[in-house]
Each structure stands twice: as structure tokens, then as C-alpha cells.
Amino acid sequence: MKRIFTRISVLAAFCLLTINVAFAQNITIKGKVTDGGDKTSLPGVTIVIKGAQGGTQTDTDGNYSISAPADATLVFNFIGYTAQEQPIANRTTINVALASSTQQLEQVVVVGYGTQRKIDVTGSVANVKGEDISKQISTNPVGALQGKVAGVSITNTGTPGGSPQITIRGSGTIYGKAGPLYVVDGVWYDDINFLNPADIASISILKDASSQSIYGIRAANGVVLVTTNKGKKGDAVINYNGTVGIQTVTNMVEMANATEYATAVNEAYALQNPPVAPLFANTNLGEGTNWYDVALRQALITNHQLSISGGTEKSTYNLSLGYLNQDGIVKNNNYTRYTARLSNDFQVFEPLKIGYNVTATSSKSKDPANGIFRALYAASPVVPIFNADGSYGDPNAFNLGNGSNMNPQATLDFFNQQTTNYKITGNVFAELKFLKNFTFRTSLGGDFGQQEVRGYIPVYKVSNTQQNTNSKLDIDRIENRNWIIENTLTYDKKWADHSLTLLVGQTAQRNKMYTLNADALNVPFNSESDLYLALGDAASRSIIDKGELSTFSSYFARANYSYKNRYLLNASIRRDGASQFFGSDNVWGNFPSIGAGWVISNEEFMKDQKIFSNLKLRGSWGKVGNAGVPFNPSTQTVDQTAGLIAFFGGIPYTGASIRSLVPPTLFWERSAGTDVGLEMGFFKNKLSVELDYYTRKTEQAIFDIPVLGSLGTVNSSIIANQADIQNSGFEFSATWADKADNGFSYSISGNVGINNNKVLNVTSGANPIYKGGAGLTSGYLSTRTVNNRPIGEFFGYQVEGVFQTTDEAAAWPGFKRGDFKYADINGDGVIDLKDRVVLGNPNPKFTYGLNTNFAYKSFDLTLDIQGVADVDVYNANLSSRFGNENFTKDFINNRWTGAGTSNSYPSADLAGGLNNAPNSFYVEKGDYIRLRNIQLGYTLPQAISSKMKMQRLRVFLNAQNAVNIFGYKGFSPEVGGTPTNAGIDTNVYPLFATYNFGVNVTF
């Protein structure tokens, strides 16, 4: 990898040296900006040097002053007016009159394989500008989208280097990849955590099937198009963006202290049948150990990005370098990432343009200890961190030894795992224009990536239940080698009142993955860089390697037609073949779409009305597919299992079991969707409103359903096209943008998404699919998926109260005083599995966001609010108990301690009977509202920054997640998971706020 990075560096240096970059001498330009209609002055107009990121604004009288190269071009921008460019051409005075515009209508958005004017789009496409992303100090570009787009739900993991989970218009996939397709400059990815957010120019989210279908094979869960920054004609522009900040845990969960814990444990022992002697003779033990204070910290985060861009008439370039260092809020956790990106475009001659971009990423993570948050939650406060002799505090010394009660400090100290990632990605392209209306484009892209997880466990002993007798080294390595070739031919013709764009294309892809899993015992530890499997015991070494290969072939076409900018028609078709389905009759799939639009405001009968400045009705229908299923899903697999033995001729052999049954034929998982939208503009488009109603049906969704062992299988399931899944909903977004005469300008945007999820036509009929066992004890399953209900609903017993006396509990076998009292749903006098009911829904019904920007002279303020409503979370932290885990302060303060003390919280014996079975007590509302981002900036006046040899200098203060309002009793209600295991909190990474100071400099 070092050689690769060296070559990239040499290439970057060569490209920059071969480009004529001349820093022309600056001159001062002054002038006045007015309204082209009524000639009034315009305060707050933004003036920037083309190709640069800095600039100035007009004062209250519309006057401005800016320093710029004599041969540069000034760009004048103002809300509600058409942008205007003015070449300086050695002039020192430039007065400008701006014309009012329908800016929102002329806005260009990125769509599949091209761009369109916003007015011409017939599908549902949301666009987020790079400047809005950069205002969110996020380590992953997806995280910055939270709350900005209606119908898009994003769950952040919190783990440094982790990728947020994004869901577009509800969950439609269960067996396979449920995330969207990411397309970065024409190359397809499953994730974009290798991108530096500062390198992004814009992100478009394709939300409806009509806009997605041009990517048919992978678009069933939405498409996210990412356009990165390009160089622009002009002198070299150097930008530096840097931040430094502190991350601190918010909404800390308070745990019981030593005295409270000892008292509760003694209570639980007294409730046993027969009662058990108290564990603690003396419960007055003071505060004890606060394990969260031991392991958590205020963590430092620094982020730096440097870019240089520019160009000539013949070529443009952009080079950026990035560095991120993020400490985790749990000690010993750290993530470091280096990014480098280079792009060049060359106009070889008038009709031919070629170019390339390449991105290299290197990251290294010191991973958080496995299960550390569970260990911190469960650890007893009576156990000291260290004993007086320096040894670790031992839970067994207090008779607390079990699988859940350990010394978290030892967990931190003896956990040694590092994850390294290397990734190089990019593409080269050529674009040829010919015969006036034709453009042919060919592109070759791909990525090479390698991830290695290296874990080492030394020999140690804290207790009989927390020890390791043989050192062990584990190495897991994954290599990806993917490529994609795309060829498109575009015909673009405008005549009279007509506009027609035709596109045909072809795509070929290959994705190859190689995995290696190896381990060895008794590997000596010299240093982290001297850990080798060869040093371990030869007899203990184990190596397993395997590979996966998938290929795709695609053909597609699209037609866009517009008549008089009033009547719009869009139609596309894509035909995809995927190797995952070789061996079946369904290798190929067809994905059509059609969309239509009517710009009512452009009709003659609308000319004299004063209400709408824009009114557009659109509707669309389309089909998309999902190839993100496991490799060879239609191939029958057999696993050898040591627990199974077969005898042949009296000789025992390792047995085998069929783990998954598959039918002779698996069909494509397809989604068919319709969307009806209304776009409105008022007051010269100062107010813009967009409404959408959609419905999407995933047809022949691939499920794995458990089957009976009598069929000759062990713990088996059948994989097949088992059901349909429907998501339907409504989206609303509105933006008000305006200015005042004193130089004050602002924009306020709000959005709401409403989604209803329902499973249809499950093949198994009335037989539900039970999942959600992670983190639960005694084999309990907490979710159910069944006909006409949402995916992965929480399912269990309904709590009616708490048994107050022994006599009251005696009528119900298996229960005692202090236990939960469950509802006898079927009235048979027995509490069993037949009494379970729906407890909650982990699929959020409402998502919303409020995003604001304010500017006054040199000051700017950004304020973003985001939230989720009508969603439930299963608090498995409380229910996952083996007997002596700690309790939350909330539970301690509200628990049942005798008749009449509580009818909602049970006794301290949570592990007894059915107390920790899935029930309504553990299901809590997951609604929340948070101050997602607030940023206050100040831009130095142009006259001062020029004296400092800078075009622009801006400093800012930023806070993320500073205010969080929710009723959930865990660290955060933001809990992800796969569709049938979503919303189950098994100690998520705690929510934290980040406070940053930053600077933006342009030279």
C-alpha cells in the first residue's frame, strides 16, 4: 500500500507541476448592486470570485468592495434573482443590475446518468448541497443528511469510523442488503465512509421508483448520487478547513450505587422459593465504583482538509488532502483516517473531453472492547477497580461471579484489536460530442479495498470467570476488487416548443471478494507490530479462506420530453442480468418506469393570477430490483457439525446437516412504486412547498423462515420468495427564503415524512416469523413478522401490574409476589405463549427536520433540529439478566419492595420466573427531538483579509447533539438493526455531543 500511496503522490505532484498556475496580481473592485426592475439597491448580495470559495457581500446600500485578480470573473448571487457573472477585465468599478428569476425552477439537479432542471423532473428527487453538508461537522457524509430530507431515516452508530444506517421510505428488504445504492461520480458502492465530506459538491437522493429504475438491479432500497468537487477555470485557489472539538456523553444513564445495589440483591435473594440467605451482611457500602466514570471520557476530535483547485481553458484540476483523528468516548478507542483525492478534466479539443478522479483512503481503528457497554451496565458497584495489592477487583470475591458480571477495567486492559482499511477508488472517462446533438460517454471505474481485523488476547486471570489461559491471535482479512464499465449515448434536441433527450446505455460489472480467517494459540507478545501466526503452536493454527464473485450485465434507455415547459414525460427501461441467480430461470430482470408532469403555472390561464409563482403536478410509476442477496442463494448448502455423528461400517464420521432449504427457483426481488407530487411556489418563489404521496410494494421478497426438524434438518430455514412488503406514506417539505433591506437574509426549511410499513401475503400464512433474540436470555424472541402487520413488531406479554402478595400470586402457577402480572389474553387461567400480543413497532412512522440559515453582514448562523416520532424501542439492557447485574437508578427508585409500593415496576428479582421474558415493561417510546446542529460563524471583512493575503477568513463555533429530548431510559433511542431485529437496545454506543471550534481559509 505504501507503494500505491507513493505513486499517487508522485502523480499528483506531476499533474500540478504540468498545469500553469499563475497567481495574478490582485486589484480592488468596487461597485453597487441593484434590482434590475425597480432599480432599488440590494443589500446582502453575495459576490465571489469564480472558482474560489470566499467572497464578500453588499452593504445596506448595495455597495461592495472586493480584491481579486485582474483577469478573474465575479459571480453575483442573491435569493430570488438570476446569478450573474462579470469578467473583471482590469476594471476597478463594476455596477450590476440583477434580474428577478424563478430560481427554484431553473435549479439543476443530478439524476441518474445526467442532470435535469428541477422543473423537468417527474420523479421524487431531493438534493442537498455540499455547503449544507459541510456545516454538519460529520465524519461520514450520510450522517450530515439527518433531518434534511423528508422520508429519509438515518440512524447514527456513534462508533468512531462507523457507518450510519439509512432507510429511504421504509424497510422493504429482509434477507440481504437493506441499504441504498451509492453512486459516486458514476461508480457503484454499498457505503461511502471512505469519502471526506469536504470533497462533496452535492448529494441527490432518488426516492421514487421512477427516478431509481435507471439503476434497476440495485435500486430497490433507494439510490444516493454523490458528486464530488471539480476544478474550475481560473487561478489556483487554496482552501483550508479545520476543526478541533470535544465529545462528551449526553443523557448519561445513572446506575445504582453500592449501597442501593446490595440492598436490592438481598431483596431478590429473599424472594426466592425457598428464600436464600442475604448475600450482603452489611448493605451500607457507600457509593462504590461508578463504572461509567471509570471507562468513559471526554474525547478529542480533530479534522483537517486542504484543497487546491483551478484550471485553464483546456484543463481543470482539484487536489484535496484530509486527516481525521477521533477518540472514542470509551477509553482506548480511537479512529484515524487519511484521505487523498485528485481529479483532472482535459478538453483535448472542442468536441472531446477526458478526465479522471482517484480517491485513496487509509484508516486505522483501535476498536472498543467487545461487549464493553454491556459490561459497564451490568458490573457491580461493590467491586473495586483494583484491590489494595494492585490486583483487579474480582466479582467472585463477593460471590457475584457469573457470565455477565465482570471487571470492566480488565476488559479494557486486555482487549487488543485493531482494524485497518485501505481503499483506492476512482474512474476515467471520455466524452465526445458529435453531429451537434449527440454525446457519447464511456467510463471505467472501480475500487480496490482491503480490511484487516487483528485481535490478540494475552494470558491473564482476573477471576475464574474472567480469564484466558492461552494467548490467541486472530486475523480476519477481506479484499474487494470491483470494476464497472458504462457506455452511454445521449441525443439532446430542442426545437420550437419541444425539448427531447434520449439516452441509451450499457453497463458491465464485476464484484470480487476474498476472505481469509486465521488464528493460532500461544502467540507471544513482543509488540503490536510483531504479532505473527507463525509464532504460535503449529498444531493450533487454523486457516479458512473463501471467495465470492458476482457479475452483472445491463442495458438501459430513457426518454425525456417537454412541450412548452408545461407538459413533461419521462420513460425508462433497464434490463439486468445477475450471476447470483445463475442456475434458475430468472437470471434477467426488466425494470420499466414512466413519469409525467404538468407545470400548471405556465398555462395561459394562469398568467394573471397572483397566488402561485410555480405550480406543478407530477406522477410516476416504476419497478426496481434488489440483487443485494447472498451469493448463490438458490444453491443447496450442507454444513458439517461436530455435534453430529454418522456411523459407516462401525466407524464414526463427522455428521452433516442441511442448514437452509431452497426451492428449485428463486425470483428477483422487485419493488413496484407509484408517486404523486405537487410542487408550489409563492411570493416569487420565496416560499416553496412540495407534497408527495407514495406507495411501494416489494414483490416476492426473499425471506428465511424456520422449518420443522422433522424434515431432516437441524435449526434450519427455507429461503424463498416468501412475501410482499408494502410501504406507503406522505411527505411534506417547505422552504421560506428572504432578505431584508438592512443586509439580513435567511432561509427556513422544514420537512415531515410519514411512513406505514406492512407485510403482505406471507407464504407461511398464519405462521409468524420470530426473531429478535439478540441480547435476550432463556432463548426468548422479541419480534414477530406476520401478515398485515409491520416488519419486526415487538411481541410478548402485556403487563397488567405487579403481584402484591403471596396469596394474589398463588392463583397463577410459576409466579410470586413482586413478579409482573401478565394479561391472560385467551382466558384459560394459564400464562403461556398463547397470551403474547403486539407490544410496539420499531419502524418510525414520523421523521422530521427543521433547518435554518441566517446571515447578517459578517455573521452567519445555522440551526438544525431533527426528530422521530411514533416509534418504539425494546430496552433489552434491563431484561438481559442472569442474576446479579446492576440496576439503573430509575429502577431502584421505583421498584416493588412490598405490598402497595409499586404496581408498575417489579421486584429486584428481575431474573426470576417470566420477569425477563419479552413484555410491555421493556418496550418504551423511542420518540426524540434534538438540536442536531448549531453553528455561529464570523467572516472577516474583505479589506482586512486582503491585507492578510487571504481571499476569505471565517471562524466558527459549532455544537452537535447539544440538546436531546426523549423519554427513553437508555443512553439513546436511536437504535438501528436489521428489519426483523430493529430497535432492540443491547447497549448501543452512548449518544454524545460534540463542541467544535473551526476555521475556513481561502487563499
Side-chain angles (χ1 to χ4, degrees), residues 46 78 101 127 185 191 213 220 239 283-284 301 313 317 322 360 382 384 394 496 542 637 685 744 779 839 993:
T46 300
F78 198 50
S101 71
N127 184 262
D185 294 330
D191 197 348
S213 64
N239 286 286
T283 60
N284 188 17
I301 179 172
E313 294 286 349
Y317 63 93
V382 304
D394 181 2
S542 170
T637 58
N685 286 313
F744 176 69
L839 302 177

Side-chain angles (χ1 to χ4, degrees), residues 84-211:
Q84 189 176 137
E85 294 187 5
Q86 286 283 344
I88 296 174
N90 290 310
R91 293 180 293 171
T92 57
T93 301
I94 301 178
N95 296 318
V96 173
L98 293 181
S100 179
S101 71
T102 54
Q103 186 177 4
Q104 287 80 6
L105 303 183
E106 297 299 321
Q107 177 188 358
V108 174
V109 297
V110 177
V111 295
Y113 298 98
T115 59
Q116 281 185 289
R117 294 185 308 164
K118 175 68 174 174
I119 193 176
D120 293 330
V121 176
T122 60
S124 182
V125 180
N127 184 262
V128 181
K129 297 179 181 179
E131 61 192 59
D132 294 325
I133 296 172
S134 64
K135 288 181 180 179
Q136 296 266 3
I137 310 301
S138 177
T139 59
N140 187 295
V142 175
L145 299 176
Q146 196 171 39
K148 291 190 174 297
V149 181
V152 177
S153 176
I154 295 174
T155 303
N156 288 300
T157 65
T159 307
S163 297
Q165 180 178 327
I166 178 171
T167 304
I168 300 174
R169 290 184 168 179
S171 298
T173 293
I174 291 181
Y175 191 80
K177 296 176 181 176
L181 166 68
Y182 296 93
V183 183
V184 182
D185 294 330
V187 184
W188 296 22
Y189 303 95
D190 292 327
D191 197 348
I192 54 172
N193 62 354
F194 63 91
L195 276 180
N196 186 336
D199 286 332
I200 293 178
S202 70
I203 292 181
S204 288
I205 300 178
L206 312 185
K207 297 192 290 182
D208 74 313
S210 173
S211 60

Side-chain angles (χ1 to χ4, degrees), residues 645-962:
I645 300 175
F647 290 89
F648 295 94
I651 302 174
Y653 293 89
T654 301
S657 171
I658 296 175
R659 292 294 187 184
S660 60
L661 301 175
V662 295
T665 302
L666 274 180
F667 299 94
W668 277 88
E669 184 175 283
R670 297 175 173 88
S671 291
T674 58
D675 182 279
V676 178
L678 184 64
E679 300 174 12
M680 296 174 286
F682 306 90
F683 313 112
K684 295 183 179 181
N685 286 313
K686 291 179 181 177
L687 173 63
S688 59
V689 177
E690 194 163 340
L691 307 173
D692 276 271
Y693 172 78
Y694 65 89
T695 179
R696 184 180 94 233
K697 183 179 179 182
T698 301
E699 301 169 339
Q700 300 175 331
I702 299 175
F703 276 51
D704 58 329
I705 296 179
V707 297
L708 298 175
S710 58
L711 296 179
T713 65
V714 177
N715 297 325
S716 183
S717 62
I718 183 168
I719 302 170
N721 300 96
Q722 309 272 18
D724 296 339
I725 304 169
Q726 179 178 286
N727 286 278
S728 59
F730 174 80
E731 294 171 357
F732 168 83
S733 60
T735 299
W736 176 275
D738 201 2
K739 58 173 176 51
D741 293 336
N742 62 356
F744 176 69
S745 62
Y746 62 94
S747 68
I748 301 174
S749 299
N751 67 79
V752 176
I754 304 172
N755 184 74
N756 293 288
N757 175 276
K758 184 165 62 173
V759 177
L760 307 174
N761 308 320
V762 176
T763 303
S764 60
N767 294 325
I769 302 167
Y770 294 102
K771 296 284 185 178
L776 306 180
T777 60
S778 304
Y780 295 128
L781 298 175
S782 60
T783 75
R784 184 187 70 162
T785 301
V786 70
N787 270 344
N788 297 314
R789 301 294 303 179
I791 295 176
E793 279 187 313
F794 298 130
F795 192 69
Y797 300 106
Q798 181 64 49
V799 174
E800 286 189 328
V802 176
F803 289 112
Q804 300 296 316
T805 65
T806 300
D807 290 341
E808 184 184 3
W812 300 91
F815 291 88
K816 61 183 184 302
R817 61 193 177 99
D819 284 354
F820 284 122
K821 181 192 298 182
Y822 294 138
D824 182 14
I825 300 300
N826 61 3
D828 63 357
V830 177
I831 299 299
D832 56 21
L833 296 179
K834 298 176 184 178
D835 295 307
R836 293 176 299 170
V837 296
V838 172
L839 302 177
N841 186 357
N843 303 287
K845 185 170 185 178
F846 299 96
T847 58
Y848 57 90
L850 179 66
N851 306 284
T852 65
N853 291 284
F854 304 93
Y856 179 69
K857 296 184 179 180
S858 296
F859 291 93
D860 62 88
L861 175 67
T862 297
L863 185 68
D864 297 326
I865 296 173
Q866 174 259 335
V868 172
D870 200 0
V871 63
D872 299 297
V873 176
Y874 190 94
N875 193 341
N877 305 316
L878 285 172
S879 66
S880 182
R881 302 188 66 86
F882 295 89
N884 290 318
E885 293 83 0
N886 198 7
F887 305 89
T888 64
K889 187 79 73 173
D890 169 76
F891 182 85
I892 287 294
N893 292 337
N894 295 282
R895 74 190 188 280
W896 181 93
T897 56
T901 56
S902 175
N903 197 39
S904 55
Y905 283 63
S907 72
D909 187 25
L910 273 175
L914 288 178
N915 280 336
N916 62 347
N919 66 56
S920 59
F921 178 79
Y922 302 117
V923 177
E924 304 180 37
K925 298 301 294 182
D927 302 11
Y928 70 84
I929 181 172
R930 72 165 53 116
L931 181 58
R932 181 73 178 92
N933 186 60
I934 182 171
Q935 186 176 117
L936 176 64
Y938 175 77
T939 302
L940 211 61
Q942 177 69 31
I944 299 176
S945 58
S946 296
K947 291 180 181 179
M948 301 171 65
K949 307 300 181 182
M950 292 181 290
Q951 292 185 22
R952 182 174 182 258
L953 173 61
R954 176 177 176 267
V955 294
F956 63 90
L957 296 173
N958 178 269
Q960 286 188 314
N961 301 332

Side-chain angles (χ1 to χ4, degrees), residues 362-379:
S362 171
S363 67
K364 185 175 183 179
S365 170
K366 295 184 67 174
D367 300 331
N370 292 332
I372 183 61
F373 292 110
R374 173 60 188 169
L376 294 173
Y377 189 94

Side-chain angles (χ1 to χ4, degrees), residues 61 71 170 198 270 307 350 463 553 555 575 600 627 664-665 877 951 980:
D61 297 319
D71 60 350
S307 68
E350 185 59 31
S463 66
S553 183
Y555 304 91
R575 181 169 172 78
I600 305 171
T665 302
N877 305 316
Q951 292 185 22
T980 53

Side-chain angles (χ1 to χ4, degrees), residues 31-93:
K32 186 171 185 176
V33 182
T34 58
D35 185 297
D38 57 20
K39 307 303 180 184
T40 57
S41 60
L42 295 177
V45 177
T46 300
I47 304 104
V48 298
I49 304 166
K50 189 175 182 180
Q53 296 186 8
T56 188
Q57 289 185 331
T58 56
D59 60 20
T60 54
D61 297 319
N63 298 315
Y64 74 93
S65 176
I66 190 171
S67 178
D71 60 350
T73 298
L74 298 181
V75 182
F76 296 78
N77 278 294
F78 198 50
I79 296 172
Y81 291 81
T82 301
Q84 189 176 137
E85 294 187 5
Q86 286 283 344
I88 296 174
N90 290 310
R91 293 180 293 171
T92 57
T93 301

